[in-house]
């Protein structure tokens, strides 16, 4: 009898960078700043606009660090939201087109009985997949600084198109 090899889980790490890979200098971030709450987290969407004159490829997860309003590092992303076993798709981003991802910031401290978080996020630093250069994006002040508890939050995979949420 023949036996087939066991199934293997796909990695969520994006493909090896190529000459067409989107770089931090090409991706201009924007953060509308409106959050939607659910289960102790407030979820925000960040858009990345391809500001270069050529198409580029990206996909996977953006590295995210959160800084307080004085510029001190308070947290770096460690959890990927909804990773599952499927590989994040490779996305082609045309000039002037956008991709987006979701960040889930804990706004209540479940370990302390559900009290409101006391830290606030003044800026995010983003590192696109397969990049080492950060792009800084300030918190939209008109909506106030979003709260954050602890040192971790969730980051979703890059998705096609812009989001207005």
């Amino acid at each position: 009898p023949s036996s087939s090899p066991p199934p293997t889980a796909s990695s969520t790490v994006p493909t090896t960078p190529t000459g067409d890979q989107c770089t931090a200098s090409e991706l201009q971030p924007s953060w509308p700043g409106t959050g939607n709450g659910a289960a102790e987290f407030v979820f925000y969407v960040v858009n990345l606009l391809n500001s270069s004159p050529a198409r580029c490829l990206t996909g996977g997860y953006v590295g995210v660090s959160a800084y307080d309003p004085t510029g001190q590092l308070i947290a770096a992303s460690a959890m990927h939201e909804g990773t599952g076993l499927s590989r994040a798709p490779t996305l082609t981003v045309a000039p002037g087109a956008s991709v987006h991802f979701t960040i889930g910031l804990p706004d209540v401290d479940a370990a302390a009985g559900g009290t409101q978080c006391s830290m606030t996020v003044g800026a995010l630093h983003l590192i696109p997949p397969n990049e080492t250069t950060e792009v800084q994006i300030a918190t939209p002040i008109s909506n106030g600084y979003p709260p954050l508890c602890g040192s971790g939050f969730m980051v979703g995979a890059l998705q096609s198109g812009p989001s207005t949420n």
Side-chain angles (χ1 to χ4, degrees):
S2 71
S3 63
S4 55
T8 58
S10 299
S11 167
T12 58
V13 175
T15 57
T16 305
T18 66
D20 293 338
Q21 190 72 34
C22 297
T23 64
S25 63
E26 295 170 336
L27 297 174
Q28 181 176 357
S30 65
W31 181 4
T34 304
N36 293 309
E40 302 168 4
F41 281 84
V42 177
F43 293 91
Y44 298 89
V45 174
V46 175
N47 293 310
L48 297 172
L49 171 75
N50 179 1
S51 61
S52 78
R55 72 172 181 84
C56 63
L57 303 175
T58 192
Y61 295 90
V62 173
V64 180
S65 298
Y67 290 78
D68 71 12
T70 68
Q72 297 297 311
L73 175 66
I74 53 176
S77 62
M79 296 183 292
H80 288 152
E81 177 188 347
T83 55
L85 295 178
S86 62
R87 181 181 188 92
T90 298
L91 305 172
T92 300
V93 191
S98 294
V99 292
H100 70 277
F101 66 98
T102 303
I103 298 173
L105 301 176
D107 65 338
V108 294
D109 189 343
T115 58
Q116 279 297 121
C117 297
S118 59
M119 289 187 286
T120 55
V121 177
L124 299 175
H125 289 211
L126 313 175
I127 301 176
N130 297 314
E131 269 284 302
T132 57
T133 305
E134 290 186 343
V135 178
Q136 181 174 336
I137 179 171
T139 300
I141 302 299
S142 62
N143 295 333
Y145 294 122
L148 177 64
C149 290
S151 60
F153 50 90
M154 292 186 278
V155 176
L158 283 166
Q159 300 177 41
S160 291
S163 177
T164 56
N165 291 340

